Every structure is written in C-alpha cells, then in structure tokens.
Amino acid sequence: MGRTGKYTEEFKRQVAKDRVENSLSVRETAKKYGISNGTVCIWTDMFYDPGRV
C-alpha cells in the first residue's frame, strides 16, 4: 500500500518559496506551517530553483 500525500504540491512549493524569499530558518518555517524540520528541508531541496522562485 502506497502512502497518499497529505499536502498538495502547491502547498509544498509555497513553503519552499516562503522560506527562501523571506530568509526564514528551517525551524521558523516548520513552526509557521506546523510541519517538521526535515519536511521543510526536503521540500526546499525539491522545489527551490533560484531561477524560478
């Protein structure tokens, strides 16, 4: 059985964009959105492209 995603791709992109554009720390971002530090790191790595954000 596969795990279904709890968050939309749009939400993940927004979290990554918010973190980078507002120079938030992983901890600040995680607290703001109610997600784990590790999740913030993964999403930032997945979705942040300096040329697109």
Side-chain angles (χ1 to χ4, degrees):
M1 300 210 137
R3 189 173 151 186
T4 59
K6 183 175 177 181
Y7 301 104
T8 64
E9 184 173 323
E10 181 181 345
F11 177 74
K12 294 173 184 180
R13 288 182 187 278
Q14 180 57 46
V15 170
K17 183 178 178 182
D18 189 27
R19 177 184 172 210
V20 174
E21 287 187 350
N22 295 303
S23 301
L24 299 174
S25 70
V26 171
R27 188 176 202 171
E28 289 170 325
T29 307
K31 185 174 182 179
K32 179 177 179 177
Y33 289 98
I35 56 179
S36 73
N37 293 349
T39 298
V40 172
C41 291
I42 291 167
W43 292 354
T44 302
D45 289 345
M46 286 174 58
F47 296 111
Y48 178 67
D49 176 355
R52 289 190 303 156
V53 174

